[in-house]
Amino acid sequence: MSRIQVEGAVKRFGPVAAVDGINLDIADGEFLVLLGPSGCGKSTLLRSIAGLAPLTEGRILLDGTDITHTPARDRDLAMVFQSYALYPHLPVARNIGFPLRARRWPKARVRARVAEVARILDLEELLDRRPRELSGGQRQRVALGRALVRSPGAFLMDEPLSNLDAKLRTATRSEITQLHQRLGSTFVYVTHDQVEAMTMAGRIALLDNGHLEQVGTPSQVYDEPASTFVAGFLGAPAMNLLPTRIVSRDGTLYATARDVEVALGIAADVPPADIVLGIRPEHLRVHSGPGPLRGTVRLVENLGNEEVAQCVVGDARVCVRGPRPLGLAAGDTVNLSTTPDHVHLFSRATGRRLLWAPAPEPLPVKTL
Ligand SMILES: Nc1ncnc2c1ncn2[C@@H]1O[C@H](COP(=O)(O)OP(=O)(O)O)[C@@H](O)[C@H]1O
Ligand SMILES: [Mg+2]
């Protein structure tokens, strides 16, 4: 059992609040990914959970017990670092067995448990080698083995794949996912890589500047981003975000900008407001005839199976992504459209997602 609760966590380094008031409830057995740009506080939050960076304010509970002031070695948690942090002079077997020897396990039990872990991680052939005689992926597995050997209640991993090349990263990604499925332990996994987050997470906690922007399943954060920050962080290329003004006429919403007015197909009656209209590149369709968004193609990128066209619509840059060939070339005039269910609306003032309800509700648009 390892439920991890973070309550009102603040961690300051002098004037910098690396973690700035975070509440997070991580269920037993969950795979939670802490995602966000470099410097947003992911490592600091993870290290606070591990007991390596004491909180300035707030509490951390493990299965309901306050462990805020419990030393790292007495928490039933194992940490895996990006740098692997292996002992270079020790062979693999002794690296893996280290946490058990430190706890004074008898030799025979250590040997048996190391053999078991080596079998799980496919390291049996490598037990006598030293870290420098291993590839990056193998070192990473040894680091995982050392975490696994004590059967901790939860694994805390800080960008464990970022030193691996792209191909190995993909392979190791699925190994870690399978390991989680097999062990059923709680995993808290830090990454700045949205693909890792989307593919591995049960839930993603997206951080910006020390605070949580959104917590949800990969589908929730991708399909219903809570803010322009989330919308712009997930997706490659990111969601198109167009500053527009929203007006309602005859009970229907229109987005207006210079020279364009787009019927959004949403029934609502609201006062005019400055908003940001979001449409994902894969949700724009290219029309042969006139479409609601008319622009010029600047560049077409070939991704192999797909193409991305960078266009300019009015003052705004708009990306379109679709199966190759899109049938567009630089300099072309392009007509684009989308469907109402693919339109995201955000407040210009706060960046938060806007919700609407069908007319005639008295307050059809409200901020989250
Ligand atoms: N030991 C430290 N001393 C001072 N500032 C730190 C320390 N650790 C982290 N920070 C600062 O806290 C912020 C968050 O850092 P970090 O948690 O490492 O971010 P991330 O892991 O998301 O890249 C950054 O501004 C970083 O410079
Ligand atoms: Mg970090």
Side-chain angles (χ1 to χ4, degrees):
M1 276 286 290
S2 285
R3 172 185 181 190
I4 300 170
Q5 289 160 279
V6 177
E7 294 183 351
V10 175
K11 174 67 180 176
R12 286 195 200 94
F13 296 105
V16 177
V19 172
D20 198 6
I22 286 187
N23 295 293
L24 193 56
D25 191 345
I26 306 167
D28 179 43
E30 183 169 11
F31 197 127
L32 183 107
V33 171
L34 294 174
L35 175 69
S38 177
C40 71
K42 306 180 293 295
S43 294
T44 305
L45 179 58
L46 195 74
R47 290 168 56 83
S48 299
I49 295 172
L52 302 172
L55 288 178
T56 315
E57 285 170 33
R59 299 200 304 166
I60 297 184
L61 310 183
L62 184 61
D63 291 328
T65 305
D66 190 336
I67 58 160
T68 315
H69 303 290
T70 306
R73 64 175 178 281
D74 297 331
R75 302 183 184 198
D76 185 24
L77 308 166
M79 182 105 175
V80 181
F81 299 92
Q82 171 182 353
S83 60
Y84 316 135
L86 300 177
Y87 300 103
H89 57 289
L90 295 182
V92 167
R94 288 179 67 82
N95 261 291
I96 295 177
F98 192 88
L100 303 182
R101 288 200 306 281
R103 282 169 178 74
R104 310 208 178 286
W105 278 38
K107 267 188 187 152
R109 269 188 75 202
V110 174
R111 214 174 305 126
R113 178 64 185 149
V114 168
E116 199 179 331
V117 167
R119 203 165 43 247
I120 294 174
L121 291 171
D122 201 15
L123 287 167
E124 288 160 300
E125 308 295 313
L126 307 175
L127 286 173
D128 296 327
R129 293 209 201 160
R130 298 192 195 258
R132 67 169 183 284
E133 298 165 321
L134 302 175
S135 70
Q138 290 167 336
R139 281 180 211 176
Q140 214 283 327
R141 289 220 297 281
V142 176
L144 274 177
R146 194 179 47 189
L148 193 60
V149 76
R150 311 193 265 121
S151 311
F155 291 84
L156 311 178
M157 303 191 179
D158 194 352
E159 312 234 10
L161 307 185
S162 54
N163 287 339
L164 306 181
D165 64 46
K167 199 168 170 192
L168 199 52
R169 214 157 53 217
T170 310
T172 315
R173 201 165 78 197
S174 45
E175 273 175 27
I176 292 180
T177 306
Q178 286 168 36
L179 188 65
H180 172 253
Q181 286 165 357
R182 221 170 326 141
L183 299 175
S185 330
T186 311
F187 279 43
V188 186
Y189 185 102
V190 162
T191 185
H192 66 273
D193 182 321
Q194 53 163 315
V195 177
E196 273 178 34
M198 290 295 291
T199 53
M200 299 173 88
R203 277 193 310 162
I204 294 174
L206 190 51
L207 276 87
D208 180 32
N209 216 357
H211 66 262
L212 278 177
E213 278 282 317
Q214 188 171 9
V215 184
T217 64
S219 316
Q220 283 167 345
V221 293
Y222 192 84
D223 296 340
E224 287 178 29
S227 65
T228 48
F229 174 83
V230 179
F233 193 83
L234 293 170
M239 185 184 283
N240 297 300
L241 294 172
L242 310 168
T244 55
R245 196 166 167 74
I246 202 163
V247 294
S248 49
R249 207 171 320 117
D250 306 327
T252 314
L253 294 189
Y254 292 82
T256 63
R258 208 187 67 190
D259 303 336
V260 283
E261 183 172 271
V262 182
L264 298 176
I266 297 161
D269 199 2
V270 294
D274 287 332
I275 61 145
V276 176
L277 180 77
I279 307 170
R280 291 215 178 269
E282 65 268 31
H283 292 149
L284 283 167
R285 291 280 159 271
V286 178
H287 273 261
S288 44
L293 294 173
R294 188 181 169 82
T296 309
V297 180
R298 285 287 150 86
L299 183 73
V300 180
E301 294 171 318
N302 179 354
L303 304 181
N305 59 337
E306 291 189 320
E307 278 181 344
V308 171
Q310 294 180 18
C311 312
V312 175
V313 176
D315 306 329
R317 291 161 52 89
V318 171
C319 270
V320 183
R321 199 180 93 190
R324 182 170 148 239
L326 281 173
L328 297 175
D332 284 357
T333 297
V334 65
N335 289 292
L336 302 167
S337 70
T338 189
T339 52
D341 52 326
H342 288 136
V343 168
H344 305 258
L345 305 180
F346 304 95
S347 155
R348 187 102 60 96
T350 64
R352 305 303 294 178
R353 184 182 191 82
L354 295 166
L355 297 176
W356 59 82
E361 293 274 322
L363 270 178
V365 171
K366 52 182 192 275
T367 32
L368 278 175

